[in-house]
């Protein structure tokens, strides 16, 4: 069996190497995401034979084994998953699989088998042994770091106009690197963006639902409240473990007041994942998102980034439109694959 366990900070170096060796650039493989979302998706990981194995205990497309990432005998790694599913009683299903790795699974499981479909004509057809379930909301948007930093070309004219609007409206703004000195400012932006005061009890004591009474209180919250709290807790934990997770970030100030924040981590050498990007109040409608996106991309590009993954749109139409408006270099589609009984 695969020796799965809850992700720990000590797993970061080995996991990052396996991801880099695989050439995969999906946001789900960012160690920061694996760690920060471990409770939300019940994520477990294992490092065996040079491969990173993941299992997600979530719902829908966040359920099942992830494709093993590493360098070596991929077929042997898949065989380990098959055996683990058999011994553990878990369904044999894979989540968040991009097309190149889906093709490997097709070949491994010998996707088609020949069966009779018409007893009189003797015609034969292929019955798939893999069932694919696609969710467009899981697709990553991956951009050229240079394009986001420079906004060069006719296609980015509207974005340059948004930047110009912010420059005309606010002359006294600056972007500062996210450091322990301004962690509180980044968290204040997130609290304001989430309108966290409406969630009732203090969020500073509500991130861990361990005792029965707290679990009962959590269960009574609306799905929107749970979603906002989960995001707040992830950001707070990212700030608390900033260095352990290899994070970089920035805070946007206008007149010395925090107006926006962003955080990212490296998926693989030169490939960065933007986990959080928030701008509040009037600054958001006056070009704040365009300015913080550009200025932070400039900093990443200057330090060697060549790709920036801005993650999924989770099927939110406005978010999808915004991500498409930056003209991604790649839209990384992912599938949930169920292995049917042959």
């Amino acid at each position: 069996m695969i020796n799965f366990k809850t992700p720990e900070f000590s797993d970061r170096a080995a996991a990052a190497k396996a991801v880099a060796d695989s050439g995969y650039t999906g946001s789900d493989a960012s160690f920061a995401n694996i760690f920060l979302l471990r409770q939300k998706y019940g994520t477990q990981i294992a490092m065996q034979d040079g491969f990173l194995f993941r299992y997600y205990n979530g719902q829908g497309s966040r359920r099942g084994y992830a494709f093993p990432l590493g360098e070596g005998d991929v077929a042997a790694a898949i065989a380990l998953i098959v055996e683990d599913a058999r011994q553990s009683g878990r369904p044999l299903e894979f989540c968040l699989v991009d097309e190149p790795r889906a093709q490997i699974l097709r070949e491994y499981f010998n996707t088609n088998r020949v069966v009779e479909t018409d007893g009189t004509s003797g015609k034969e057809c292929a019955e798939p042994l893999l069932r694919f379930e696609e969710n467009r909301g899981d697709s990553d948007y991956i951009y050229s770091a240079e394009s986001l930093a420079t906004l060069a070309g006719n296609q980015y004219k509207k974005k340059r106009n948004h930047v110009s609007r912010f420059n005309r409206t606010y002359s006294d703004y600056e972007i500062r690197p996210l450091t322990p000195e301004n962690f509180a400012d980044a968290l204040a932006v997130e609290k304001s963006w989430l309108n966290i005061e409406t969630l009732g009890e203090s969020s500073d004591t509500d991130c861990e639902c361990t005792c029965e009474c707290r679990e009962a209180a959590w269960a009574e919250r609306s799905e929107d409240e749970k979603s906002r709290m989960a995001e707040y807790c992830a950001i707070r934990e990212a700030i608390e473990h900033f260095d352990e997770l290899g994070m970089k970030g920035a805070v946007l100030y206008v007149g010395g007041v925090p107006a926006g924040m962003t955080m990212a981590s490296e998926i693989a050498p030169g490939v960065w994942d933007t986990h959080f990007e928030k701008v509040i109040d009037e600054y958001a409608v006056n070009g704040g998102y365009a300015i913080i996106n550009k200025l932070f991309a400039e900093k990443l590009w200057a330090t060697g980034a060549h790709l920036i993954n801005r993650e999924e749109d989770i099927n939110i139409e406005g978010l999808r439109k915004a991500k498409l408006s930056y003209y991604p270099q790649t839209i990384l589609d992912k599938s949930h694959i169920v292995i049917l009984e042959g």
Side-chain angles (χ1 to χ4, degrees):
M1 291 182 65
I2 300 174
N3 299 316
F4 283 112
K5 67 182 186 67
T6 301
E8 300 174 0
F9 294 126
S10 58
D11 299 314
R12 178 186 158 206
K17 181 182 185 306
V19 173
D21 288 343
S22 74
Y24 183 60
T25 58
S27 62
D28 55 284
S30 156
F31 184 76
N33 269 341
I34 292 171
F35 183 84
L36 294 172
L37 302 177
R38 67 194 184 284
Q39 292 181 341
K40 182 176 182 180
Y41 298 129
T43 311
Q44 295 181 305
I45 69 168
M47 290 300 309
Q48 291 182 215
D49 301 329
F51 282 88
L52 168 64
F53 295 89
R54 291 170 286 158
Y55 187 82
Y56 292 86
N57 285 290
Q59 301 295 320
S61 59
R62 292 299 194 281
R63 183 189 69 251
Y65 296 90
F67 191 92
L69 300 177
E71 185 178 43
D73 190 342
V74 176
I78 296 172
L80 274 177
I81 290 176
V82 173
E83 181 62 15
D84 184 83
R86 186 187 68 80
Q87 293 187 22
S88 66
R90 294 186 177 113
L92 185 52
E93 54 189 335
F94 291 81
C95 61
L96 304 172
V97 184
D98 66 334
E99 178 52 34
R101 288 160 184 82
Q103 182 57 32
I104 293 173
L105 291 179
R106 290 188 190 98
E107 294 171 359
Y108 180 88
F109 289 103
N110 189 20
T111 307
N112 297 325
R113 62 188 175 99
V114 177
V115 297
E116 288 190 4
T117 57
D118 188 330
T120 58
S121 67
K123 291 182 179 178
E124 297 179 340
C125 74
E127 178 184 341
L129 293 177
L130 279 67
R131 185 177 74 235
F132 285 73
E133 300 168 355
E134 296 183 357
N135 181 353
R136 179 66 170 78
D138 288 332
S139 302
D140 282 345
Y141 294 76
I142 303 175
Y143 305 82
S144 157
E146 180 179 1
S147 295
L148 294 186
T150 63
L151 297 181
N154 291 334
Q155 63 184 0
Y156 289 113
K157 182 178 180 180
K158 288 185 178 179
K159 298 302 179 186
R160 294 196 298 271
N161 288 341
H162 293 161
V163 170
S164 296
R165 177 179 180 179
F166 195 87
N167 286 326
R168 291 194 305 270
T169 308
Y170 310 105
S171 59
D172 55 344
Y173 73 88
E174 62 176 326
I175 190 168
R176 303 177 195 167
L178 187 53
T179 66
E181 285 69 33
N182 59 4
F183 281 170
D185 290 342
L187 203 56
V189 168
E190 176 65 8
K191 285 183 176 180
S192 178
W193 192 90
L194 288 174
N195 193 17
I196 206 125
E197 291 77 9
T198 66
L199 295 183
E201 301 174 15
S202 169
S203 299
D204 292 334
T205 61
D206 218 14
C207 286
E208 296 291 342
C209 300
T210 53
C211 68
E212 291 183 3
C213 59
R214 184 167 292 175
E215 289 179 354
W218 178 263
E220 292 177 357
R221 293 186 184 275
S222 69
E223 289 305 313
D224 177 65
E225 287 177 325
K226 290 178 182 178
S227 177
R228 287 190 288 160
M229 280 304 308
E231 178 175 303
Y232 170 78
C233 291
I235 288 180
R236 198 183 77 175
E237 192 168 33
I239 287 173
E240 290 173 348
H241 302 289
F242 199 76
D243 290 336
E244 293 102 317
L245 293 172
M247 305 290 286
K248 284 187 179 181
V251 179
L252 175 67
Y253 293 88
V254 178
V257 177
M261 60 80 71
T262 185
M263 280 192 280
S265 72
E266 202 169 31
I267 302 172
V271 184
W272 284 79
D273 178 10
T274 301
H275 303 286
F276 311 109
E277 183 183 85
K278 300 296 172 64
V279 179
I280 58 174
D281 303 332
E282 66 182 79
Y283 312 112
V285 297
N286 286 324
Y289 277 104
I291 200 76
I292 197 171
N293 187 339
K294 183 180 190 301
L295 294 179
F296 190 54
E298 287 177 3
K299 294 184 179 299
L300 291 179
W301 184 42
T303 56
H306 60 90
L307 292 176
I308 297 177
N309 187 324
R310 292 181 58 81
E311 300 193 345
E312 317 96 322
D313 61 39
I314 56 177
N315 287 320
I316 296 176
E317 190 59 36
L319 191 55
R320 178 170 299 174
K321 182 178 179 181
K323 290 180 183 291
L324 288 172
S325 72
Y326 274 98
Y327 298 94
Q329 179 173 300
T330 303
I331 297 179
L332 186 67
D333 294 324
K334 305 174 190 179
S335 297
H336 184 259
I337 303 173
V338 178
I339 312 303
L340 304 175
E341 293 293 335

